[in-house]
Amino acid sequence: MPVILGNLIVIAALIAVMALAVRSLWKSRRSGGGCNGDCGNCRGCH
């Protein structure tokens, strides 16, 4: 039983990290941040 509990804790932590990363990317995308590789449409290109 402790092995299963340990695995569940690790899986829950990984899911939380992935959710935070996706949320950060989504917020960045919605606010117009980040370049999509097309410098004709990106205000942040050098």
Short mmCIF file of all heavy atoms in Angstrom, two decimals:
data_model
loop_
_atom_site.label_atom_id
_atom_site.label_comp_id
_atom_site.label_asym_id
_atom_site.label_seq_id
_atom_site.Cartn_x
_atom_site.Cartn_y
_atom_site.Cartn_z
N MET A 1 0.81 -1.21 0.00
CA MET A 1 0.00 0.00 0.00
C MET A 1 0.85 1.27 0.00
O MET A 1 0.50 2.20 -0.70
CB MET A 1 -0.95 -0.04 1.19
CG MET A 1 -1.98 1.04 1.15
SD MET A 1 -3.09 0.79 -0.23
CE MET A 1 -4.40 1.84 0.21
N PRO A 2 1.95 1.37 0.76
CA PRO A 2 2.77 2.60 0.75
C PRO A 2 3.36 2.89 -0.63
O PRO A 2 3.54 4.05 -0.98
CB PRO A 2 3.87 2.32 1.77
CG PRO A 2 3.36 1.25 2.64
CD PRO A 2 2.43 0.43 1.79
N VAL A 3 3.65 1.85 -1.42
CA VAL A 3 4.21 2.06 -2.75
C VAL A 3 3.18 2.74 -3.64
O VAL A 3 3.49 3.68 -4.36
CB VAL A 3 4.68 0.72 -3.37
CG1 VAL A 3 5.11 0.93 -4.80
CG2 VAL A 3 5.80 0.12 -2.54
N ILE A 4 1.96 2.29 -3.56
CA ILE A 4 0.89 2.88 -4.37
C ILE A 4 0.66 4.33 -3.95
O ILE A 4 0.49 5.22 -4.79
CB ILE A 4 -0.42 2.06 -4.23
CG1 ILE A 4 -0.22 0.68 -4.85
CG2 ILE A 4 -1.57 2.79 -4.88
CD1 ILE A 4 -1.39 -0.26 -4.62
N LEU A 5 0.69 4.59 -2.66
CA LEU A 5 0.50 5.95 -2.15
C LEU A 5 1.62 6.86 -2.64
O LEU A 5 1.38 7.99 -3.06
CB LEU A 5 0.44 5.94 -0.62
CG LEU A 5 0.15 7.27 0.05
CD1 LEU A 5 -1.21 7.80 -0.40
CD2 LEU A 5 0.18 7.12 1.55
N GLY A 6 2.85 6.37 -2.61
CA GLY A 6 4.00 7.14 -3.11
C GLY A 6 3.85 7.45 -4.59
O GLY A 6 4.13 8.56 -5.03
N ASN A 7 3.43 6.45 -5.36
CA ASN A 7 3.23 6.65 -6.79
C ASN A 7 2.14 7.69 -7.05
O ASN A 7 2.27 8.53 -7.94
CB ASN A 7 2.87 5.34 -7.48
CG ASN A 7 4.06 4.42 -7.62
OD1 ASN A 7 5.20 4.85 -7.53
ND2 ASN A 7 3.80 3.15 -7.83
N LEU A 8 1.07 7.64 -6.29
CA LEU A 8 -0.02 8.60 -6.46
C LEU A 8 0.44 10.02 -6.14
O LEU A 8 0.04 10.97 -6.82
CB LEU A 8 -1.21 8.22 -5.59
CG LEU A 8 -2.00 6.99 -6.04
CD1 LEU A 8 -3.09 6.67 -5.04
CD2 LEU A 8 -2.59 7.19 -7.42
N ILE A 9 1.28 10.16 -5.12
CA ILE A 9 1.79 11.49 -4.76
C ILE A 9 2.66 12.03 -5.88
O ILE A 9 2.55 13.20 -6.26
CB ILE A 9 2.55 11.43 -3.42
CG1 ILE A 9 1.57 11.17 -2.29
CG2 ILE A 9 3.34 12.71 -3.19
CD1 ILE A 9 2.22 10.89 -0.96
N VAL A 10 3.53 11.19 -6.44
CA VAL A 10 4.40 11.62 -7.54
C VAL A 10 3.58 11.98 -8.76
O VAL A 10 3.82 13.01 -9.41
CB VAL A 10 5.44 10.53 -7.87
CG1 VAL A 10 6.18 10.85 -9.15
CG2 VAL A 10 6.41 10.37 -6.71
N ILE A 11 2.60 11.17 -9.09
CA ILE A 11 1.75 11.45 -10.26
C ILE A 11 0.97 12.75 -10.05
O ILE A 11 0.85 13.57 -10.97
CB ILE A 11 0.80 10.26 -10.53
CG1 ILE A 11 1.61 9.06 -11.05
CG2 ILE A 11 -0.29 10.63 -11.52
CD1 ILE A 11 0.83 7.77 -11.11
N ALA A 12 0.44 12.96 -8.85
CA ALA A 12 -0.29 14.19 -8.56
C ALA A 12 0.62 15.41 -8.69
O ALA A 12 0.21 16.45 -9.22
CB ALA A 12 -0.92 14.13 -7.17
N ALA A 13 1.86 15.29 -8.22
CA ALA A 13 2.80 16.40 -8.34
C ALA A 13 3.12 16.70 -9.80
O ALA A 13 3.18 17.86 -10.21
CB ALA A 13 4.08 16.08 -7.57
N LEU A 14 3.32 15.66 -10.61
CA LEU A 14 3.59 15.87 -12.03
C LEU A 14 2.41 16.51 -12.74
O LEU A 14 2.58 17.40 -13.58
CB LEU A 14 3.94 14.54 -12.70
CG LEU A 14 5.31 13.96 -12.34
CD1 LEU A 14 5.47 12.57 -12.94
CD2 LEU A 14 6.42 14.88 -12.81
N ILE A 15 1.22 16.10 -12.41
CA ILE A 15 0.02 16.69 -13.02
C ILE A 15 -0.09 18.16 -12.62
O ILE A 15 -0.42 19.01 -13.46
CB ILE A 15 -1.24 15.90 -12.61
CG1 ILE A 15 -1.24 14.54 -13.31
CG2 ILE A 15 -2.50 16.67 -12.94
CD1 ILE A 15 -2.32 13.60 -12.84
N ALA A 16 0.22 18.48 -11.37
CA ALA A 16 0.15 19.87 -10.92
C ALA A 16 1.17 20.72 -11.66
O ALA A 16 0.86 21.85 -12.09
CB ALA A 16 0.39 19.94 -9.42
N VAL A 17 2.39 20.22 -11.83
CA VAL A 17 3.43 20.97 -12.55
C VAL A 17 3.01 21.18 -14.00
O VAL A 17 3.16 22.27 -14.55
CB VAL A 17 4.79 20.25 -12.46
CG1 VAL A 17 5.80 20.84 -13.41
CG2 VAL A 17 5.31 20.30 -11.03
N MET A 18 2.48 20.15 -14.64
CA MET A 18 2.04 20.27 -16.03
C MET A 18 0.89 21.27 -16.15
O MET A 18 0.86 22.07 -17.08
CB MET A 18 1.61 18.91 -16.58
CG MET A 18 2.78 18.01 -16.87
SD MET A 18 2.38 16.35 -17.45
CE MET A 18 0.89 16.54 -18.35
N ALA A 19 -0.03 21.25 -15.19
CA ALA A 19 -1.16 22.19 -15.23
C ALA A 19 -0.68 23.62 -15.08
O ALA A 19 -1.15 24.52 -15.78
CB ALA A 19 -2.16 21.84 -14.13
N LEU A 20 0.29 23.85 -14.20
CA LEU A 20 0.83 25.20 -14.03
C LEU A 20 1.56 25.67 -15.28
O LEU A 20 1.47 26.84 -15.67
CB LEU A 20 1.75 25.26 -12.82
CG LEU A 20 1.06 25.15 -11.46
CD1 LEU A 20 2.09 25.05 -10.34
CD2 LEU A 20 0.15 26.33 -11.23
N ALA A 21 2.28 24.77 -15.93
CA ALA A 21 3.00 25.13 -17.16
C ALA A 21 2.02 25.48 -18.27
O ALA A 21 2.19 26.48 -18.97
CB ALA A 21 3.91 23.98 -17.59
N VAL A 22 0.98 24.68 -18.43
CA VAL A 22 -0.03 24.95 -19.46
C VAL A 22 -0.74 26.26 -19.17
O VAL A 22 -0.99 27.06 -20.07
CB VAL A 22 -1.02 23.77 -19.57
CG1 VAL A 22 -2.23 24.13 -20.40
CG2 VAL A 22 -0.32 22.55 -20.14
N ARG A 23 -1.06 26.50 -17.90
CA ARG A 23 -1.73 27.75 -17.51
C ARG A 23 -0.85 28.95 -17.84
O ARG A 23 -1.32 29.97 -18.34
CB ARG A 23 -2.04 27.70 -16.02
CG ARG A 23 -2.71 28.92 -15.50
CD ARG A 23 -3.06 28.75 -14.03
NE ARG A 23 -3.49 30.01 -13.48
CZ ARG A 23 -2.94 30.59 -12.42
NH1 ARG A 23 -1.96 30.02 -11.79
NH2 ARG A 23 -3.39 31.75 -12.00
N SER A 24 0.44 28.83 -17.55
CA SER A 24 1.37 29.93 -17.84
C SER A 24 1.45 30.19 -19.34
O SER A 24 1.42 31.35 -19.78
CB SER A 24 2.75 29.59 -17.29
OG SER A 24 3.68 30.56 -17.68
N LEU A 25 1.55 29.13 -20.13
CA LEU A 25 1.59 29.30 -21.58
C LEU A 25 0.30 29.91 -22.10
O LEU A 25 0.31 30.75 -22.99
CB LEU A 25 1.85 27.94 -22.25
CG LEU A 25 3.25 27.38 -22.08
CD1 LEU A 25 3.30 25.95 -22.62
CD2 LEU A 25 4.27 28.24 -22.79
N TRP A 26 -0.83 29.46 -21.57
CA TRP A 26 -2.13 29.96 -22.02
C TRP A 26 -2.26 31.46 -21.70
O TRP A 26 -2.70 32.24 -22.54
CB TRP A 26 -3.23 29.17 -21.33
CG TRP A 26 -4.60 29.57 -21.75
CD1 TRP A 26 -5.43 30.43 -21.11
CD2 TRP A 26 -5.28 29.17 -22.93
NE1 TRP A 26 -6.59 30.56 -21.80
CE2 TRP A 26 -6.54 29.80 -22.93
CE3 TRP A 26 -4.97 28.30 -23.98
CZ2 TRP A 26 -7.46 29.61 -23.94
CZ3 TRP A 26 -5.91 28.12 -24.97
CH2 TRP A 26 -7.12 28.77 -24.95
N LYS A 27 -1.86 31.85 -20.49
CA LYS A 27 -1.96 33.27 -20.12
C LYS A 27 -1.01 34.11 -20.97
O LYS A 27 -1.36 35.22 -21.37
CB LYS A 27 -1.64 33.43 -18.63
CG LYS A 27 -2.73 32.93 -17.72
CD LYS A 27 -2.37 33.12 -16.28
CE LYS A 27 -3.03 34.37 -15.79
NZ LYS A 27 -2.83 34.58 -14.36
N SER A 28 0.17 33.60 -21.25
CA SER A 28 1.13 34.32 -22.07
C SER A 28 0.58 34.49 -23.49
O SER A 28 0.71 35.54 -24.10
CB SER A 28 2.46 33.57 -22.09
OG SER A 28 3.34 34.16 -23.01
N ARG A 29 -0.02 33.46 -23.99
CA ARG A 29 -0.57 33.50 -25.35
C ARG A 29 -1.74 34.47 -25.44
O ARG A 29 -1.86 35.22 -26.41
CB ARG A 29 -1.02 32.09 -25.73
CG ARG A 29 -1.48 31.94 -27.12
CD ARG A 29 -0.29 31.92 -28.03
NE ARG A 29 -0.73 31.58 -29.37
CZ ARG A 29 -0.08 31.88 -30.44
NH1 ARG A 29 1.07 32.51 -30.34
NH2 ARG A 29 -0.52 31.55 -31.61
N ARG A 30 -2.60 34.47 -24.43
CA ARG A 30 -3.76 35.35 -24.45
C ARG A 30 -3.37 36.81 -24.31
O ARG A 30 -4.05 37.69 -24.84
CB ARG A 30 -4.72 34.98 -23.33
CG ARG A 30 -5.44 33.67 -23.61
CD ARG A 30 -6.54 33.43 -22.64
NE ARG A 30 -7.63 34.35 -22.95
CZ ARG A 30 -8.54 34.73 -22.09
NH1 ARG A 30 -8.50 34.28 -20.86
NH2 ARG A 30 -9.50 35.56 -22.43
N SER A 31 -2.29 37.10 -23.61
CA SER A 31 -1.88 38.48 -23.41
C SER A 31 -1.04 39.00 -24.57
O SER A 31 -0.58 40.14 -24.52
CB SER A 31 -1.10 38.61 -22.10
OG SER A 31 0.14 37.96 -22.20
N GLY A 32 -0.82 38.18 -25.57
CA GLY A 32 -0.06 38.62 -26.74
C GLY A 32 1.43 38.41 -26.59
O GLY A 32 2.19 38.80 -27.46
N GLY A 33 1.86 37.79 -25.54
CA GLY A 33 3.29 37.54 -25.34
C GLY A 33 3.74 36.32 -26.12
O GLY A 33 2.95 35.48 -26.53
N GLY A 34 5.01 36.25 -26.33
CA GLY A 34 5.55 35.09 -27.02
C GLY A 34 5.45 35.23 -28.51
O GLY A 34 4.48 35.72 -29.05
N CYS A 35 6.46 34.81 -29.18
CA CYS A 35 6.50 34.89 -30.64
C CYS A 35 6.19 33.52 -31.22
O CYS A 35 6.67 32.51 -30.73
CB CYS A 35 7.89 35.36 -31.09
SG CYS A 35 8.00 35.70 -32.84
N ASN A 36 5.39 33.50 -32.27
CA ASN A 36 5.05 32.23 -32.89
C ASN A 36 6.01 31.87 -34.02
O ASN A 36 5.78 30.90 -34.73
CB ASN A 36 3.61 32.27 -33.40
CG ASN A 36 3.42 33.30 -34.49
OD1 ASN A 36 4.34 34.02 -34.86
ND2 ASN A 36 2.20 33.40 -34.98
N GLY A 37 7.07 32.64 -34.20
CA GLY A 37 8.05 32.33 -35.24
C GLY A 37 7.86 33.15 -36.50
O GLY A 37 8.72 33.17 -37.36
N ASP A 38 6.75 33.84 -36.63
CA ASP A 38 6.47 34.66 -37.79
C ASP A 38 6.76 36.12 -37.41
O ASP A 38 5.93 36.79 -36.81
CB ASP A 38 5.03 34.50 -38.22
CG ASP A 38 4.70 35.29 -39.47
OD1 ASP A 38 5.64 35.81 -40.10
OD2 ASP A 38 3.50 35.41 -39.79
N CYS A 39 7.94 36.60 -37.77
CA CYS A 39 8.35 37.94 -37.34
C CYS A 39 7.53 39.06 -37.97
O CYS A 39 7.58 40.19 -37.53
CB CYS A 39 9.84 38.15 -37.62
SG CYS A 39 10.87 37.20 -36.50
N GLY A 40 6.76 38.75 -39.00
CA GLY A 40 5.89 39.75 -39.58
C GLY A 40 4.72 40.09 -38.66
O GLY A 40 4.16 41.17 -38.75
N ASN A 41 4.37 39.17 -37.77
CA ASN A 41 3.22 39.38 -36.89
C ASN A 41 3.63 39.56 -35.42
O ASN A 41 2.78 39.71 -34.58
CB ASN A 41 2.26 38.18 -36.96
CG ASN A 41 1.61 38.09 -38.31
OD1 ASN A 41 1.37 39.10 -38.96
ND2 ASN A 41 1.33 36.89 -38.76
N CYS A 42 4.90 39.54 -35.14
CA CYS A 42 5.38 39.59 -33.76
C CYS A 42 5.96 40.96 -33.47
O CYS A 42 6.86 41.43 -34.17
CB CYS A 42 6.43 38.50 -33.53
SG CYS A 42 7.04 38.42 -31.87
N ARG A 43 5.50 41.61 -32.42
CA ARG A 43 6.01 42.93 -32.05
C ARG A 43 7.32 42.84 -31.29
O ARG A 43 8.00 43.82 -31.10
CB ARG A 43 4.99 43.65 -31.18
CG ARG A 43 3.76 44.02 -31.94
CD ARG A 43 2.83 44.82 -31.05
NE ARG A 43 1.51 44.24 -31.17
CZ ARG A 43 0.70 43.99 -30.18
NH1 ARG A 43 1.05 44.29 -28.96
NH2 ARG A 43 -0.46 43.46 -30.38
N GLY A 44 7.68 41.64 -30.81
CA GLY A 44 8.86 41.52 -29.97
C GLY A 44 10.12 41.07 -30.68
O GLY A 44 11.13 40.85 -30.04
N CYS A 45 10.07 40.89 -31.99
CA CYS A 45 11.26 40.42 -32.71
C CYS A 45 12.31 41.52 -32.80
O CYS A 45 11.99 42.69 -32.88
CB CYS A 45 10.89 39.94 -34.10
SG CYS A 45 9.98 38.40 -34.09
N HIS A 46 13.55 41.11 -32.83
CA HIS A 46 14.66 42.06 -32.90
C HIS A 46 14.99 42.36 -34.35
O HIS A 46 15.19 41.54 -35.14
CB HIS A 46 15.90 41.50 -32.22
CG HIS A 46 15.64 41.02 -30.85
ND1 HIS A 46 16.03 39.80 -30.40
CD2 HIS A 46 14.98 41.57 -29.80
CE1 HIS A 46 15.68 39.62 -29.15
NE2 HIS A 46 15.01 40.69 -28.78
#
